[in-house]
Amino acid sequence: SFTNYSESLFLEYHYGKETAFKYTRGQRLNIQNRQPIIGKYNIHSEGSSDMYDKGGNMLHTIRQLIDDDDKWRDILRGIGKTFYHQTVTTAQIESFISKQAGKDLSKVFDQYLRDHRLPVLEYYLKEDKVRVRWSNVKPGFDMPIRVFIDGKASWISPTTQWSEINSQASTFTVDSNFYVACINLQG
């Protein structure tokens, strides 16, 4: 996942942020979502080959959640510095990233690493209000997401229950840098 994501960082350094983001989003075409990235421990069970492209997109999504590029780079550098020449566990890396980000990302990691399904943000507009919910997720999935309501960026925190965003809205789109599926229930 990190090696895959480093390709995007290389592109960002040499060709700019939008080129790198476009490259990362393009890798989604390779993702199959047939089995979890992480296989079962203590038995001979590899995870999915999605560990590369899906893992890179998971990291890209986490970067969006952190919403601070300097902090994100410090986290990436900190992983290398803290765990230099060590064999580490997934739990150590997850804990390190969450701690450094100042956010509990455990449900995000759990969804992307231990479940094959892609989170789906379902939404619809009714009477100029937006209603949203997460589906296709593990119990307790908790991930805020950046959306655009009438072109204006906003953060929302959907759950698996329908909730209403108190906003007059005629358009609603999700930031494409989050690796999620979106379904407009109105078509």
Side-chain angles (χ1 to χ4, degrees):
S1 299
F2 286 96
T3 302
N4 174 278
Y5 185 70
S6 71
E7 294 171 3
S8 176
L9 296 175
F10 173 87
L11 288 171
E12 184 173 349
Y13 179 80
H14 289 285
Y15 302 103
K17 194 173 189 175
E18 188 48 42
T19 298
F21 284 16
K22 191 175 189 178
Y23 174 80
T24 300
R25 292 189 307 263
Q27 290 179 316
R28 294 173 186 169
L29 297 173
N30 301 328
I31 301 171
Q32 298 176 20
N33 285 316
R34 289 191 185 147
Q35 64 186 42
I37 290 176
I38 296 178
K40 294 180 182 175
Y41 286 110
N42 300 318
I43 62 171
H44 184 63
S45 174
E46 291 185 15
S48 164
S49 63
D50 284 344
M51 72 179 83
Y52 304 107
D53 296 315
K54 185 175 183 178
N57 267 275
M58 175 195 68
L59 292 170
H60 186 65
T61 297
I62 290 170
R63 176 183 183 173
Q64 307 314 306
L65 290 168
I66 293 171
D67 199 26
D68 180 333
D69 287 347
D70 291 334
K71 182 184 275 190
W72 177 240
R73 290 194 194 293
D74 288 345
I75 290 170
L76 294 177
R77 289 181 181 120
I79 289 170
K81 187 175 181 180
T82 302
F83 301 109
Y84 181 73
H85 279 244
Q86 294 181 42
T87 301
V88 296
T89 65
T90 304
Q92 286 176 289
I93 299 299
E94 290 176 32
S95 176
F96 182 87
I97 292 173
S98 287
K99 182 178 178 186
Q100 297 304 311
K103 297 178 183 212
D104 180 5
L105 299 169
S106 60
K107 298 296 184 181
V108 174
F109 283 119
D110 203 30
Q111 180 68 41
Y112 285 95
L113 296 176
R114 296 174 192 88
D115 196 299
H116 70 282
R117 299 172 299 168
L118 182 61
V120 175
L121 183 67
E122 296 178 342
Y123 69 93
Y124 65 94
L125 280 75
K126 183 177 180 183
E127 300 166 0
D128 294 330
K129 302 277 185 192
V130 181
R131 288 164 180 81
V132 296
R133 75 173 176 190
W134 286 117
S135 66
N136 210 38
V137 293
K138 293 183 78 142
F141 181 68
D142 178 22
M143 184 175 85
I145 190 164
R146 187 174 30 244
V147 298
F148 299 93
I149 301 172
D150 291 334
K152 184 179 176 196
S154 180
W155 283 91
I156 62 172
S157 297
T159 68
T160 55
Q161 303 299 312
W162 284 108
S163 61
E164 186 175 279
I165 299 170
N166 292 323
S167 174
Q168 295 290 325
S170 59
T171 64
F172 178 86
T173 56
V174 174
D175 185 332
S176 61
N177 289 300
F178 286 79
Y179 181 49
V180 300
C182 301
I183 297 178
N184 178 349
L185 297 178
Q186 295 169 312

